[in-house]
PDB file of all heavy atoms in Angstrom:
ATOM      1  N   THR Z1428     163.635 137.536  22.703  1.00  0.00           N
ATOM      2  CA  THR Z1428     164.384 138.798  22.648  1.00  0.00           C
ATOM      3  C   THR Z1428     164.945 139.163  24.026  1.00  0.00           C
ATOM      4  O   THR Z1428     166.006 139.785  24.116  1.00  0.00           O
ATOM      5  CB  THR Z1428     163.505 139.943  22.110  1.00  0.00           C
ATOM      6  OG1 THR Z1428     162.452 140.225  23.038  1.00  0.00           O
ATOM      7  CG2 THR Z1428     162.917 139.601  20.765  1.00  0.00           C
ATOM      8  N   VAL Z1429     164.240 138.782  25.086  1.00  0.00           N
ATOM      9  CA  VAL Z1429     164.773 138.981  26.442  1.00  0.00           C
ATOM     10  C   VAL Z1429     166.038 138.152  26.614  1.00  0.00           C
ATOM     11  O   VAL Z1429     167.037 138.608  27.173  1.00  0.00           O
ATOM     12  CB  VAL Z1429     163.719 138.602  27.510  1.00  0.00           C
ATOM     13  CG1 VAL Z1429     164.313 138.701  28.917  1.00  0.00           C
ATOM     14  CG2 VAL Z1429     162.481 139.483  27.393  1.00  0.00           C
ATOM     15  N   ARG Z1430     165.989 136.917  26.137  1.00  0.00           N
ATOM     16  CA  ARG Z1430     167.152 136.033  26.247  1.00  0.00           C
ATOM     17  C   ARG Z1430     168.353 136.612  25.497  1.00  0.00           C
ATOM     18  O   ARG Z1430     169.486 136.578  25.981  1.00  0.00           O
ATOM     19  CB  ARG Z1430     166.795 134.647  25.707  1.00  0.00           C
ATOM     20  CG  ARG Z1430     167.885 133.605  25.923  1.00  0.00           C
ATOM     21  CD  ARG Z1430     167.406 132.228  25.459  1.00  0.00           C
ATOM     22  NE  ARG Z1430     168.351 131.185  25.825  1.00  0.00           N
ATOM     23  CZ  ARG Z1430     169.402 130.818  25.095  1.00  0.00           C
ATOM     24  NH1 ARG Z1430     169.651 131.427  23.924  1.00  0.00           N
ATOM     25  NH2 ARG Z1430     170.204 129.858  25.502  1.00  0.00           N
ATOM     26  N   VAL Z1431     168.112 137.151  24.306  1.00  0.00           N
ATOM     27  CA  VAL Z1431     169.194 137.753  23.534  1.00  0.00           C
ATOM     28  C   VAL Z1431     169.780 138.953  24.280  1.00  0.00           C
ATOM     29  O   VAL Z1431     171.003 139.137  24.331  1.00  0.00           O
ATOM     30  CB  VAL Z1431     168.703 138.167  22.130  1.00  0.00           C
ATOM     31  CG1 VAL Z1431     169.719 139.072  21.439  1.00  0.00           C
ATOM     32  CG2 VAL Z1431     168.437 136.937  21.276  1.00  0.00           C
ATOM     33  N   ALA Z1432     168.912 139.774  24.876  1.00  0.00           N
ATOM     34  CA  ALA Z1432     169.394 140.942  25.621  1.00  0.00           C
ATOM     35  C   ALA Z1432     170.261 140.513  26.798  1.00  0.00           C
ATOM     36  O   ALA Z1432     171.319 141.113  27.058  1.00  0.00           O
ATOM     37  CB  ALA Z1432     168.211 141.778  26.108  1.00  0.00           C
ATOM     38  N   ALA Z1433     169.830 139.470  27.508  1.00  0.00           N
ATOM     39  CA  ALA Z1433     170.600 138.989  28.656  1.00  0.00           C
ATOM     40  C   ALA Z1433     171.914 138.360  28.199  1.00  0.00           C
ATOM     41  O   ALA Z1433     172.975 138.610  28.779  1.00  0.00           O
ATOM     42  CB  ALA Z1433     169.774 137.977  29.455  1.00  0.00           C
ATOM     43  N   LEU Z1434     171.845 137.540  27.154  1.00  0.00           N
ATOM     44  CA  LEU Z1434     173.037 136.877  26.632  1.00  0.00           C
ATOM     45  C   LEU Z1434     174.054 137.888  26.130  1.00  0.00           C
ATOM     46  O   LEU Z1434     175.264 137.723  26.300  1.00  0.00           O
ATOM     47  CB  LEU Z1434     172.606 135.915  25.522  1.00  0.00           C
ATOM     48  CG  LEU Z1434     173.625 134.984  24.897  1.00  0.00           C
ATOM     49  CD1 LEU Z1434     172.921 133.725  24.381  1.00  0.00           C
ATOM     50  CD2 LEU Z1434     174.357 135.652  23.739  1.00  0.00           C
ATOM     51  N   SER Z1435     173.555 138.969  25.531  1.00  0.00           N
ATOM     52  CA  SER Z1435     174.435 139.973  24.927  1.00  0.00           C
ATOM     53  C   SER Z1435     174.829 141.077  25.904  1.00  0.00           C
ATOM     54  O   SER Z1435     175.505 142.025  25.498  1.00  0.00           O
ATOM     55  CB  SER Z1435     173.738 140.601  23.718  1.00  0.00           C
ATOM     56  OG  SER Z1435     173.346 139.614  22.781  1.00  0.00           O
ATOM     57  N   GLU Z1436     174.382 140.967  27.162  1.00  0.00           N
ATOM     58  CA  GLU Z1436     174.711 141.957  28.194  1.00  0.00           C
ATOM     59  C   GLU Z1436     174.283 143.358  27.787  1.00  0.00           C
ATOM     60  O   GLU Z1436     175.005 144.343  27.964  1.00  0.00           O
ATOM     61  CB  GLU Z1436     176.205 141.921  28.538  1.00  0.00           C
ATOM     62  CG  GLU Z1436     176.660 140.568  29.058  1.00  0.00           C
ATOM     63  CD  GLU Z1436     178.142 140.532  29.419  1.00  0.00           C
ATOM     64  OE1 GLU Z1436     178.823 141.565  29.271  1.00  0.00           O
ATOM     65  OE2 GLU Z1436     178.597 139.461  29.871  1.00  0.00           O
ATOM     66  N   LEU Z1437     173.056 143.469  27.271  1.00  0.00           N
ATOM     67  CA  LEU Z1437     172.540 144.773  26.842  1.00  0.00           C
ATOM     68  C   LEU Z1437     172.028 145.522  28.069  1.00  0.00           C
ATOM     69  O   LEU Z1437     170.887 145.368  28.482  1.00  0.00           O
ATOM     70  CB  LEU Z1437     171.428 144.587  25.804  1.00  0.00           C
ATOM     71  CG  LEU Z1437     171.862 143.961  24.478  1.00  0.00           C
ATOM     72  CD1 LEU Z1437     170.679 143.824  23.532  1.00  0.00           C
ATOM     73  CD2 LEU Z1437     172.971 144.791  23.824  1.00  0.00           C
ATOM     74  N   ASN Z1438     172.870 146.363  28.623  1.00  0.00           N
ATOM     75  CA  ASN Z1438     172.552 147.024  29.877  1.00  0.00           C
ATOM     76  C   ASN Z1438     171.557 148.170  29.716  1.00  0.00           C
ATOM     77  O   ASN Z1438     171.049 148.704  30.706  1.00  0.00           O
ATOM     78  CB  ASN Z1438     173.830 147.578  30.518  1.00  0.00           C
ATOM     79  CG  ASN Z1438     174.515 148.621  29.646  1.00  0.00           C
ATOM     80  OD1 ASN Z1438     175.051 148.295  28.596  1.00  0.00           O
ATOM     81  ND2 ASN Z1438     174.488 149.864  30.059  1.00  0.00           N
ATOM     82  N   ALA Z1439     171.251 148.575  28.512  1.00  0.00           N
ATOM     83  CA  ALA Z1439     170.383 149.731  28.296  1.00  0.00           C
ATOM     84  C   ALA Z1439     168.902 149.351  28.247  1.00  0.00           C
ATOM     85  O   ALA Z1439     168.067 150.184  27.927  1.00  0.00           O
ATOM     86  CB  ALA Z1439     170.772 150.439  27.001  1.00  0.00           C
ATOM     87  N   VAL Z1440     168.553 148.111  28.580  1.00  0.00           N
ATOM     88  CA  VAL Z1440     167.197 147.609  28.391  1.00  0.00           C
ATOM     89  C   VAL Z1440     166.494 147.396  29.732  1.00  0.00           C
ATOM     90  O   VAL Z1440     167.047 146.767  30.640  1.00  0.00           O
ATOM     91  CB  VAL Z1440     167.217 146.285  27.599  1.00  0.00           C
ATOM     92  CG1 VAL Z1440     165.821 145.709  27.488  1.00  0.00           C
ATOM     93  CG2 VAL Z1440     167.799 146.510  26.206  1.00  0.00           C
ATOM     94  N   SER Z1441     165.274 147.933  29.848  1.00  0.00           N
ATOM     95  CA  SER Z1441     164.435 147.679  31.014  1.00  0.00           C
ATOM     96  C   SER Z1441     163.052 147.233  30.545  1.00  0.00           C
ATOM     97  O   SER Z1441     162.461 147.850  29.655  1.00  0.00           O
ATOM     98  CB  SER Z1441     164.277 148.946  31.868  1.00  0.00           C
ATOM     99  OG  SER Z1441     165.519 149.425  32.321  1.00  0.00           O
ATOM    100  N   TYR Z1442     162.552 146.165  31.150  1.00  0.00           N
ATOM    101  CA  TYR Z1442     161.215 145.666  30.849  1.00  0.00           C
ATOM    102  C   TYR Z1442     160.291 146.048  32.000  1.00  0.00           C
ATOM    103  O   TYR Z1442     160.543 145.670  33.151  1.00  0.00           O
ATOM    104  CB  TYR Z1442     161.225 144.152  30.660  1.00  0.00           C
ATOM    105  CG  TYR Z1442     162.243 143.687  29.651  1.00  0.00           C
ATOM    106  CD1 TYR Z1442     163.447 143.119  30.065  1.00  0.00           C
ATOM    107  CD2 TYR Z1442     162.006 143.838  28.285  1.00  0.00           C
ATOM    108  CE1 TYR Z1442     164.394 142.708  29.137  1.00  0.00           C
ATOM    109  CE2 TYR Z1442     162.953 143.427  27.356  1.00  0.00           C
ATOM    110  CZ  TYR Z1442     164.142 142.865  27.789  1.00  0.00           C
ATOM    111  OH  TYR Z1442     165.078 142.460  26.865  1.00  0.00           O
ATOM    112  N   ILE Z1443     159.242 146.786  31.718  1.00  0.00           N
ATOM    113  CA  ILE Z1443     158.273 147.199  32.729  1.00  0.00           C
ATOM    114  C   ILE Z1443     157.043 146.314  32.551  1.00  0.00           C
ATOM    115  O   ILE Z1443     156.284 146.465  31.589  1.00  0.00           O
ATOM    116  CB  ILE Z1443     157.925 148.690  32.585  1.00  0.00           C
ATOM    117  CG1 ILE Z1443     159.190 149.524  32.754  1.00  0.00           C
ATOM    118  CG2 ILE Z1443     156.860 149.103  33.607  1.00  0.00           C
ATOM    119  CD1 ILE Z1443     159.017 150.995  32.440  1.00  0.00           C
ATOM    120  N   LEU Z1444     156.859 145.375  33.487  1.00  0.00           N
ATOM    121  CA  LEU Z1444     155.867 144.308  33.328  1.00  0.00           C
ATOM    122  C   LEU Z1444     154.860 144.390  34.471  1.00  0.00           C
ATOM    123  O   LEU Z1444     155.212 144.224  35.638  1.00  0.00           O
ATOM    124  CB  LEU Z1444     156.575 142.953  33.304  1.00  0.00           C
ATOM    125  CG  LEU Z1444     157.680 142.841  32.238  1.00  0.00           C
ATOM    126  CD1 LEU Z1444     158.502 141.578  32.434  1.00  0.00           C
ATOM    127  CD2 LEU Z1444     157.097 142.898  30.833  1.00  0.00           C
ATOM    128  N   THR Z1445     153.612 144.654  34.126  1.00  0.00           N
ATOM    129  CA  THR Z1445     152.594 144.947  35.131  1.00  0.00           C
ATOM    130  C   THR Z1445     151.595 143.798  35.287  1.00  0.00           C
ATOM    131  O   THR Z1445     151.628 142.826  34.544  1.00  0.00           O
ATOM    132  CB  THR Z1445     151.839 146.229  34.758  1.00  0.00           C
ATOM    133  OG1 THR Z1445     151.074 145.989  33.559  1.00  0.00           O
ATOM    134  CG2 THR Z1445     152.799 147.382  34.509  1.00  0.00           C
TER     135      THR Z1445
END
Side-chain angles (χ1 to χ4, degrees):
T1428 66
V1429 175
R1430 187 175 188 273
V1431 167
L1434 186 152
S1435 304
E1436 300 181 0
L1437 295 180
N1438 62 291
V1440 176
S1441 301
Y1442 307 103
I1443 300 172
L1444 305 170
T1445 67

